[in-house]
Amino acid sequence: MISEKKSRILLITGAAGGIGKATVKVFTEAGWQVIGVDRKPKYEGFPENGIYIQSDISLPEAMEEIYEKVEEFTESLDAVVHNAGVQVAKPLIETTAEEWDLVMASNLRSVFLGAKLAYPLLKAKDGGAIVNVSSVHAIATSADIAAYAASKGGILALTRAMAIEFAKDDIRVNAILPGAVDTPMLRAGLGRGHVGDGDLMERLENLARKTVNGRIGQPEEIAKAIYFLADNTQSSFMTGQALVVDGGATARLSTE
Ligand code: NAI
């Protein structure tokens, strides 16, 4: 009898968003099983051999419930992608403490709690990987997005700390920093006025002109980079690093 090779298992948060859906697809096509987590309901086309958990990762109790369900499904994980995130786009002096806390709980605390809960499951395999989705706003930012930028900067520091503490169990931890990628979050954030005040298409074109590649990114282009960081057969010598995938936007001086 030919023994069936067991699929590798991924848990991804924000699975129903633009980058999330594309990442679920890339991993599924590579033969992985996917555990998708999102506060939005399960979407049409989510892989049938996986599980979908509708929940809110900004709440510590909900995070524990998520991992109780994960442990009913599997004793181990090969990779975890912390991708869920929210953006509050407003001037710093108008941002309330509640909005600040919501952004930090959703974008940063969830990564800390998720890593703690995933740790025993990742350790159960010969080598696991965590990919934390940060943003180019962690290294250069703009007006009216301070809480988001701070949360994404925090992810980079947390990624290094996790990489150091988890290395003894062969768990690699890296961050990815997408630039402008065409998703619902990007389109919603274009109202900040940083790329002009024309209609949506004009704003998207203005944004595209700011990249070296002359276009904004597609979710699949981020998904493939996430896959590279999550797959131990590809990025085995990388840990604690920040991979920028932004069409060259941060390579060019803004004063040019
Ligand atoms: P999106 O808005 O399409 O997807 C985000 C998903 O996260 C949504 O499905 C949402 O329901 C989910 N989510 C948010 N808060 C949640 C919570 N508390 N509990 C459970 N699910 C929650 O956005 P997109 O663009 O796909 O973003 C994915 C990640 O990529 C985010 O972390 C974002 O900050 C990051 N990113 C996106 C960029 C872009 O240009 N689109 C650029 C840089 C970073």
Side-chain angles (χ1 to χ4, degrees), residues 26 87 95 97 104 123 130 142 147 156 158 174 193 200 227 234:
V26 164
Q87 217 175 57
T95 303
M104 290 299 162
K123 202 176 144 178
I130 297 177
S142 50
L156 297 192
L158 182 59
N174 290 289
L200 183 66
Y227 186 81
Q234 298 191 50

Side-chain angles (χ1 to χ4, degrees), residues 216-237:
I216 56 174
Q218 291 305 312
E220 299 69 37
E221 296 178 289
I222 304 302
K224 286 179 185 163
I226 290 174
Y227 186 81
F228 167 74
L229 292 177
D231 182 1
N232 278 339
T233 68
Q234 298 191 50
S235 55
S236 48
F237 199 45

Side-chain angles (χ1 to χ4, degrees), residues 161-244:
M162 282 163 42
I164 292 165
E165 291 194 33
F166 293 178
K168 65 178 186 316
D169 294 305
D170 287 328
I171 300 168
R172 298 179 305 105
V173 189
N174 290 289
I176 182 163
L177 286 68
V181 181
D182 194 2
T183 68
M185 181 185 282
L186 180 87
R187 288 173 179 248
L190 288 178
R192 277 185 296 132
H194 62 305
V195 281
D197 52 11
D199 66 21
L200 183 66
M201 285 324 288
E202 280 175 59
R203 290 179 196 198
L204 282 169
E205 280 162 23
N206 287 342
L207 192 57
R209 272 196 285 274
K210 289 176 191 267
T211 69
V212 170
N213 280 4
R215 63 177 180 84
I216 56 174
Q218 291 305 312
E220 299 69 37
E221 296 178 289
I222 304 302
K224 286 179 185 163
I226 290 174
Y227 186 81
F228 167 74
L229 292 177
D231 182 1
N232 278 339
T233 68
Q234 298 191 50
S235 55
S236 48
F237 199 45
M238 268 185 87
T239 197
Q241 300 308 307
L243 181 67
V244 178

